[in-house]
Amino acid sequence: MHAFSSQALAGTATLALFSFVAAMPLSANSRVGLVLLACIALGLCLAQPRRMLGLLDPPDHAPMLAAGALASWYLVLAVNWQASAPAMDALRLLLSCALLLLARRLRISSDALWLACCVAAIILGAQSAWQALVQGLPRAQGVYFHNIVGALGAIFGLLPWLARPAHWQRGWRRSLLWLGLIGGIVAALFSSSRMAWITIVVLLLASLRREQRVGGIVLGGLLLALVTGFSPLVQDRWQSLFNDLARYHNGDVVTSVGMRFEMWRASAESILTHPWLGVGPDGFVALMRTGVEQGRWPAAMAQHTHAHNEFLHAWVTGGLASMLGLMALLYYAWRASRRLEAANPAQAAAARGARAIILLLVLLGLSETTLIYGGIFNLYLVCLFLCLGWAGRDC
């Protein structure tokens, strides 16, 4: 490829990546940047298949195969249930593999992702503060839903922070990292998503060096007590957690926590009866409504469309292979990031970024299901596979 054309494509891909990530707080349906990025990656793979495949390193094989196997299973589900959602998820997985190759082929800087995340976190934090403090909304929801705002705040604020790119530790870049982290925390705070709060605290403590952790835990505990003591919002959310637990113990399940427990119980029962193919992409809604009609669940359960747990939902709706495929993808991607970091320490920040996005998905997915939202699934896959691509660029 001509050097000028390569530079032009790299610049276009960089702008597409930045626009996709940075625009997420402003539009739940912002796909222009993602479509452009995917078209460039797919075009290069079709035009130069041998050269693109030659960019793969041995650590890449397992996550690529895991993604391909999971995509194949999604296509089986799409045919079996005559549903479009699994087919779209399969397409997302396959295109994400092409993004790994794109990061190797073109000189797209990982700075574009870190910068986009910081900008998105700042926008989301300002938007959430406006909704909560000026508009008076009880929980900031942005253009999404309040739990999704909390999850996005954690992702955008923490991803560049946990990646720790070396040249971002001084000057204006370091200031931007701090502003992004603060913006993500503010968004999570005003979303009132307790799981987002827990995720941020856990990952920030985990990011400290071993000799800093005792002091960090003490300081974090003091700050948490201070915030809780002076913030009625935080007080109310923790108090509601304890109240929900007490009410559930007394037989009242119609609470935020109680219905999660019941949805997990319903999911476990469904898994025992439909372990292999699940109940289908839209089957969870029918499962809840059937249980309500039979008097097994309260009427409020019929309003929920997912299991509020990433892995349970994957198993309930897509069978055992969906859950195992998702776990395999995350495991092999984690292992690949470790091997790529060892082979190429100069790209260690990208490898850490890949592990950070995996941790964010797992922790946030303990009490919420975000992969059912196409935009969030796209975000996870784009970040994961681009980071893996950057991590092995010079191996």
Side-chain angles (χ1 to χ4, degrees):
M1 184 182 294
H2 193 276
F4 177 77
S5 301
S6 181
Q7 291 176 2
L9 274 180
T12 304
T14 300
L15 288 174
L17 171 62
F18 179 85
S19 65
F20 164 61
V21 175
M24 285 195 72
L26 302 175
S27 173
N29 298 309
S30 176
R31 300 189 183 94
V32 176
L34 179 64
V35 170
L36 181 56
L37 194 65
C39 286
I40 294 173
L42 188 60
L44 285 173
C45 289
L46 293 175
Q48 304 172 341
R50 289 188 178 181
R51 181 169 183 178
M52 295 295 280
L53 290 175
L55 298 171
L56 288 175
D57 292 305
D60 301 322
H61 297 163
M64 295 278 274
L65 288 173
L70 185 55
S72 299
W73 179 250
Y74 283 157
L75 291 175
V76 170
L77 293 177
V79 173
N80 182 72
W81 297 107
Q82 297 182 352
S84 61
M88 288 300 300
D89 288 343
L91 180 62
R92 290 185 176 98
L93 283 164
L94 295 176
L95 288 176
S96 297
C97 293
L99 292 180
L100 184 151
L101 298 175
L102 178 70
R104 301 276 172 84
R105 177 67 181 84
L106 299 179
R107 307 307 294 182
I108 306 170
S109 174
S110 56
D111 288 346
L113 180 58
W114 315 140
L115 177 62
C117 284
C118 290
V119 170
I122 293 168
I123 293 173
L124 196 64
Q127 184 186 66
S128 300
W130 176 267
Q131 290 184 336
L133 301 177
V134 179
Q135 296 181 335
L137 296 182
R139 301 181 68 177
Q141 58 188 25
V143 295
Y144 298 92
F145 180 67
H146 43 75
N147 285 344
I148 299 300
V149 167
L152 288 176
I155 293 169
F156 292 141
L158 286 177
L159 180 55
W161 184 270
L162 296 174
R164 301 194 309 277
H167 58 291
W168 280 65
Q169 303 306 311
R170 55 189 176 276
W172 66 268
R173 290 185 179 89
R174 181 170 179 81
S175 300
L176 194 59
L177 273 182
W178 274 101
L179 289 174
L181 179 64
I182 292 169
I185 292 173
V186 168
L189 177 67
F190 287 120
S191 75
S192 295
S193 171
R194 289 182 293 248
M195 198 64 235
W197 299 350
I198 293 170
T199 298
I200 289 173
V201 171
V202 168
L203 292 184
L204 282 179
L205 289 176
S207 70
L208 297 175
R209 290 190 294 271
R210 187 170 300 175
E211 63 272 14
Q212 296 176 317
R213 285 181 186 169
V214 174
I217 291 172
V218 173
L219 180 60
L222 291 174
L223 289 174
L224 182 62
L226 185 65
V227 171
T228 302
F230 285 93
S231 172
L233 169 67
V234 179
Q235 289 179 8
D236 290 346
R237 289 297 289 164
W238 289 126
Q239 187 60 50
S240 70
L241 172 63
F242 299 132
N243 291 342
D244 287 359
L245 291 172
R247 290 171 64 181
Y248 186 78
H249 179 72
N250 294 325
D252 182 2
V253 303
V254 188
T255 64
S256 174
V257 174
M259 284 195 289
R260 273 180 168 79
F261 288 161
E262 292 301 293
M263 281 184 277
W264 295 344
R265 185 156 70 94
S267 298
E269 293 178 2
S270 175
I271 286 169
L272 291 175
T273 55
H274 304 90
W276 308 117
L277 290 174
V279 295
D282 301 319
F284 191 84
V285 176
L287 181 69
M288 291 294 99
R289 289 175 180 171
T290 301
V292 169
E293 292 169 0
Q294 294 173 348
R296 299 169 59 225
W297 317 117
M301 294 275 281
Q303 302 173 4
H304 293 277
T305 59
H306 56 87
H308 284 79
N309 180 282
E310 212 70 77
F311 300 97
L312 272 178
H313 189 80
W315 196 346
V316 170
T317 58
L320 178 62
S322 288
M323 190 270 289
L324 292 179
L326 178 59
M327 293 179 68
L329 174 61
L330 299 180
Y331 168 75
Y332 286 118
W334 181 282
R335 192 177 70 168
S337 74
R338 286 286 190 188
R339 293 181 175 181
L340 290 168
E341 182 178 11
N344 188 17
Q347 297 290 352
R352 288 192 294 265
R355 294 195 293 276
I357 203 69
I358 293 171
L359 288 172
L360 284 161
L361 191 159
V362 171
L363 288 175
L364 292 169
L366 292 177
S367 68
E368 191 62 42
T369 309
T370 56
L371 297 184
I372 60 172
Y373 304 101
I376 310 300
F377 198 5
N378 289 333
L379 178 65
Y380 278 126
L381 291 175
V382 167
C383 293
L384 177 61
F385 280 91
L386 280 179
C387 282
L388 289 176
W390 287 319
R393 176 181 282 171
D394 297 321
C395 287

